[in-house]
Amino acid sequence: MTTPVSGDGLHDPVELVTALIACPSVTPDVTTGLDVLQSWLETLGFSCRRMVFSEAGQSDVDNLYGRLGSDAPHLCFAGHMDVVPPGDTSEWGSDPFAATVRDGMLYGRGAADMKGGIAAFVAAVAAYRERAGNPRGSVSLLITGDEEGPAVNGTRKTLMSLAADGETIDDCLVGEPSSKDALGDVIKIGRRGSMNAVLMVYGTQGHVAYPHLAENPLTHLASMLSALTSLHLDEGTDHFEPSNLELTSIDTGNDASNVIPASVQVRFNIRFNDTHSSSDLEKQIRALLDEVVAKTGGRYKLDFTVSGEAFLTPPGPFIDLVKDAIHETIGRMPVLSTGGGTSDARFIKDYARVLEFGLVGQTMHKKNESIAVEDLTALARVYGKILDDYFAGAETSP
């Protein structure tokens, strides 16, 4: 196993992220990147496990779990090695898989999302061990290979396997790029749930000049859409925005101007807060459509897929510790947020207290993805302060 960075280099997050960006690791091809990370962790004394999971119709996914120590308390750093494709590389100012520093910014695919966070945490652990030794508790890294993809064979299955083996995690810090405008301005303490729906409304195909011989599904759909788009789900909560239902597609597959279509397909998404569960929302939507059909007629089929349930890590000692570490290290007091899309924290919340804190994410998934070098080194210091405070008072061993 080749180790691009070793020794004192493990303290330098810029050197570490440069090595990780050089491993393309577009979902789910993360093996080389995980090999590199595993070599660093083993140098630092971590015991590492590789877990490859597969499922019919999905690519095999390589995942890495490394743990230093065996006692409580157990702090886990979670994230993903996989990145989204770079797109047209000619539109980048430099090779997306060769980290380049220009005017204080480090460019490369995955710099923000989220190889920079992984590099900062490894550097923080290396510095912590140098000044404090191994904590009496435990620190671990759980790094998956399919967060940017289906998220089927990554964090969820890894956690299930670890739990079956008796592994327990007390607190988890997900290194996603949570910061909005400046490093440390936001900590994510929860996420809204997300569910996608496919609504099929059926009629009878016919000629537009003879509507009495046909049944237009679009007429029925109009009433259904009026009910769906008028639906008021909630007012929001202290920590969550109001839930919302958004139409994303309407398609009859009909290119003819003189044909009433036989059916129409509608897709919509619901982003919901923790006043709802996906099952309750499904019942509510079905009851609403049944009521419309009872009045106006029509036939429909409705299928839901759930990406994740809403969750919240209530403010408490762990969140306070991270807030204080940010404030004491870089002088900024973060806002607690539940905004944004989904992340693997939706799986972790079933096993541990979880929050998300990392770099500024304004360029993630874009061409010329970049982070400020100053932010990367500052993040490593914040992560180091979190380690100091988390294990404060516990005995350490050399």
Side-chain angles (χ1 to χ4, degrees):
M1 186 180 295
T2 302
T3 308
V5 178
S6 60
D8 292 340
L10 292 176
H11 296 77
D12 183 359
V14 176
E15 191 172 351
L16 296 178
V17 76
T18 297
L20 292 180
I21 288 173
C23 305
S25 66
V26 174
T27 309
D29 298 323
V30 298
T31 297
T32 301
L34 292 183
D35 287 345
V36 171
L37 177 58
Q38 181 175 342
S39 71
W40 299 342
L41 296 182
E42 289 175 343
T43 298
L44 292 171
F46 282 75
S47 175
C48 294
R49 296 171 57 183
R50 296 289 278 275
M51 288 175 272
V52 179
F53 298 107
S54 60
E55 187 168 308
Q58 303 289 344
S59 300
D60 290 356
V61 175
D62 195 355
N63 305 280
L64 170 64
Y65 176 71
R67 180 166 176 168
L68 178 65
S70 58
D71 298 327
H74 179 184
L75 174 64
C76 177
F77 176 86
H80 59 93
M81 185 66 68
D82 61 317
V83 299
V84 297
D88 186 350
T89 57
S90 67
E91 296 181 354
W92 285 67
S94 54
D95 184 345
F97 297 117
T100 303
V101 175
R102 301 193 302 271
D103 300 322
M105 302 295 293
L106 187 148
Y107 293 84
R109 175 57 85 219
D113 190 17
M114 57 158 283
K115 293 181 177 181
I118 295 172
F121 196 78
V122 171
V125 172
Y128 177 85
R129 287 187 72 248
E130 186 173 88
R131 64 179 174 266
N134 292 337
R136 177 64 66 181
S138 302
V139 60
S140 65
L141 281 84
L142 191 164
I143 308 298
T144 185
D146 75 340
E147 195 272 351
E148 299 290 8
V152 170
N153 294 314
T155 297
R156 176 163 46 187
K157 288 188 177 179
T158 300
L159 286 167
M160 291 173 62
S161 179
L162 292 172
D165 291 341
E167 289 276 326
T168 59
I169 299 169
D170 296 303
D171 298 286
C172 185
L173 175 62
V174 181
E176 287 282 357
S178 67
S179 299
K180 182 181 178 182
D181 298 310
L183 179 68
D185 60 357
V186 173
I187 295 173
K188 293 190 182 296
I189 61 170
R191 294 276 188 159
R192 293 197 296 173
S194 177
M195 54 196 301
N196 291 297
V198 179
L199 170 64
M200 294 293 301
V201 182
Y202 301 100
T204 302
Q205 183 175 313
H207 197 294
V208 296
Y210 304 94
H212 59 288
L213 299 177
E215 181 184 8
N216 196 328
L218 290 167
T219 302
H220 299 311
L221 176 63
S223 298
M224 293 180 180
L225 292 185
S226 177
L228 287 172
T229 56
S230 299
L231 185 62
H232 181 75
L233 293 172
D234 56 72
E235 298 290 343
T237 70
D238 289 343
H239 293 289
F240 283 97
E241 298 175 357
S243 303
N244 63 293
L245 184 155
E246 299 297 332
L247 303 175
T248 59
S249 173
I250 300 176
D251 184 22
T252 63
N254 179 24
D255 294 327
S257 61
N258 62 346
V259 174
I260 293 171
S263 63
V264 57
Q265 181 190 82
V266 178
R267 294 179 181 271
F268 59 90
N269 176 270
I270 305 175
R271 295 298 169 106
F272 57 97
N273 58 41
D274 62 348
T275 62
H276 306 277
S277 68
S278 61
S279 60
D280 287 343
L281 283 170
E282 179 175 348
K283 292 176 184 177
Q284 183 177 354
I285 298 299
R286 290 187 185 279
L288 178 67
L289 295 180
D290 287 344
E291 183 180 347
V292 172
V293 168
K295 293 179 180 178
T296 65
R299 293 169 290 126
Y300 77 90
K301 177 184 177 183
L302 182 62
D303 293 311
F304 283 99
T305 57
V306 180
S307 300
E309 299 289 343
F311 71 93
L312 176 72
T313 300
F318 180 49
I319 291 174
D320 289 343
L321 183 150
V322 175
K323 287 174 60 179
D324 291 343
I326 294 169
H327 185 252
E328 291 176 29
T329 305
I330 58 177
R332 185 168 287 119
M333 183 55 73
V335 171
L336 304 181
S337 171
T338 59
T342 59
S343 76
D344 277 359
R346 69 189 188 272
F347 307 129
I348 299 169
K349 54 89 175 173
D350 294 326
Y351 298 86
R353 289 178 293 269
V354 60
L355 59 79
E356 301 173 52
F357 168 60
L359 292 160
V360 175
Q362 290 186 354
T363 63
M364 59 181 175
H365 294 202
K366 296 182 178 181
K367 65 181 180 181
N368 294 315
E369 180 179 351
S370 62
I371 54 175
V373 172
E374 182 180 5
D375 282 355
L376 181 62
T377 57
L379 181 63
R381 294 196 305 272
V382 175
Y383 284 163
K385 177 63 173 171
I386 291 171
L387 290 170
D388 286 340
D389 294 347
Y390 192 83
F391 296 111
E395 294 182 42
T396 58
S397 58

